[in-house]
Amino acid sequence: MKIDIPNRDLVAGLEKGLAVIEAFDAAHPKLTVVDVANATGLTRAAARRYLLTLVKNGYAAFDGRFFTLLPRVLRLGYAYLSSAALAFRVQPVLEQISAITHESSSAAVLDGTEVIYIARSSTGRIMAVDLSVGSRLPAYCTALGRSLLAYVQPSQLDDYFRTVKMAPLTPKTKYDERGVRAALNDVRKLGFALADEELELGLRSIAVPVFRGPGQAEVAVNISVAAARMECDEVIERFLPVLMSARDELRAAV
């Protein structure tokens, strides 16, 4: 839940340092000082100081031009994952889903405008991006994301649309507010989300939310399949009962 915190209670340096770390991603594993300054809005001098601080503390490396993150950064995420027993309770259920369907299954939570993967059972790589625990994807065009967005408070959903930057990742992507809101209404009516080649051409995904309480979606679970192997109707017919069963099993875990 997002809360309003007075600026006087914030540590600006920490906030900026975290922004520098978040500037690195799968598409930008190596960044220069200028790259980081442009991505974060910091001056070049400030970006350089933050980057060198990361290097000194073992969180980044510098080759004279490019900065790269080092494995020590994983400690920041592991502190969350190790304390979140949910991920460990979800994993066996995902493995059971994959054993039944012979398809990849994942669980994710909503984090800002994205979903972050907390557990995954992969039977083969069907996406261009190799997903793993900690991977992030846009919420608006993924089945996992829509399963969670459909149940946030109306004011939070309004905030989401004010801040999110939506773009057509494929010719099938719904990326306007009206279209995404309509998709979220479908999730609330049907109890599941289906993303048909909206994140990546050739990929279909179906997901269901897992509720902690009435109307409180804590986590979402999905099954992904290659579009060439299965039409949408078959995806729903074959996989929705499996996901519903998993949802019921997981309710006691969230």
Side-chain angles (χ1 to χ4, degrees):
M1 180 183 295
K2 185 177 180 180
I3 61 174
D4 292 326
I5 302 175
N7 287 337
R8 65 178 181 273
D9 293 329
L10 301 178
V11 179
L14 176 59
E15 190 174 25
K16 293 174 182 177
L18 293 173
V20 169
I21 293 174
E22 290 180 351
F24 295 86
D25 57 27
H28 307 91
K30 296 182 178 182
L31 296 174
T32 65
V33 170
V34 174
D35 293 332
V36 172
N38 291 337
T40 61
L42 295 170
T43 65
R44 295 184 185 182
R48 180 176 180 275
R49 289 196 300 272
Y50 282 105
L51 287 165
L52 291 178
T53 300
L54 291 174
V55 171
K56 180 181 178 182
N57 287 276
Y59 288 100
F62 181 50
D63 65 5
R65 181 184 178 191
F66 289 102
F67 290 85
T68 55
L69 294 182
L70 292 177
R72 187 182 180 91
V73 171
L74 294 174
R75 292 187 181 185
L76 302 176
Y78 186 75
Y80 164 74
L81 291 174
S82 62
S83 64
L86 174 61
F88 297 98
R89 291 196 289 265
V90 167
Q91 186 63 43
V93 177
L94 298 185
E95 292 172 0
Q96 183 179 359
I97 291 173
S98 292
I100 294 171
T101 64
H102 306 292
E103 306 290 352
S104 297
S105 180
S106 305
V109 296
L110 192 63
D111 183 28
T113 61
E114 300 174 312
V115 290
I116 180 170
Y117 281 63
I118 64 167
R120 179 162 169 79
S121 175
S122 179
T123 60
R125 185 169 171 178
I126 60 174
M127 293 184 64
V129 177
D130 191 12
L131 295 174
S132 59
V133 172
S135 294
R136 291 174 174 270
L137 291 175
Y140 69 90
C141 61
T142 57
L144 286 167
R146 289 178 183 168
S147 292
L148 296 167
L149 282 174
Y151 296 97
V152 302
Q153 294 297 316
S155 60
Q156 290 177 289
L157 191 58
D158 291 340
D159 288 341
Y160 170 83
F161 283 112
R162 276 193 291 267
T163 58
V164 69
K165 295 180 180 179
M166 297 186 288
L169 303 184
T170 79
K172 293 188 174 184
T173 306
K174 296 181 181 70
Y175 64 98
D176 63 291
E177 181 175 345
R178 182 177 180 180
V180 175
R181 282 188 182 272
L184 300 183
N185 286 334
D186 289 340
V187 175
R188 288 187 284 269
K189 291 176 184 176
L190 301 173
F192 69 91
L194 181 70
D196 180 18
E197 300 188 87
E198 292 191 52
L199 175 69
E200 182 179 307
L201 288 176
L203 177 73
R204 292 189 171 116
S205 178
I206 184 171
V208 299
V210 180
F211 296 97
R212 180 178 58 184
Q216 294 178 300
E218 181 77 2
V219 62
V221 178
N222 85 335
I223 296 173
S224 298
V225 62
R229 292 195 290 106
M230 205 172 295
E231 297 296 328
C232 290
D233 289 345
E234 188 178 359
V235 170
I236 296 171
E237 181 181 357
R238 289 183 57 181
F239 298 148
L240 183 57
V242 178
L243 287 174
M244 290 297 192
S245 178
R247 178 202 63 187
D248 294 341
E249 183 176 349
L250 286 169
R251 276 177 174 167
V254 300

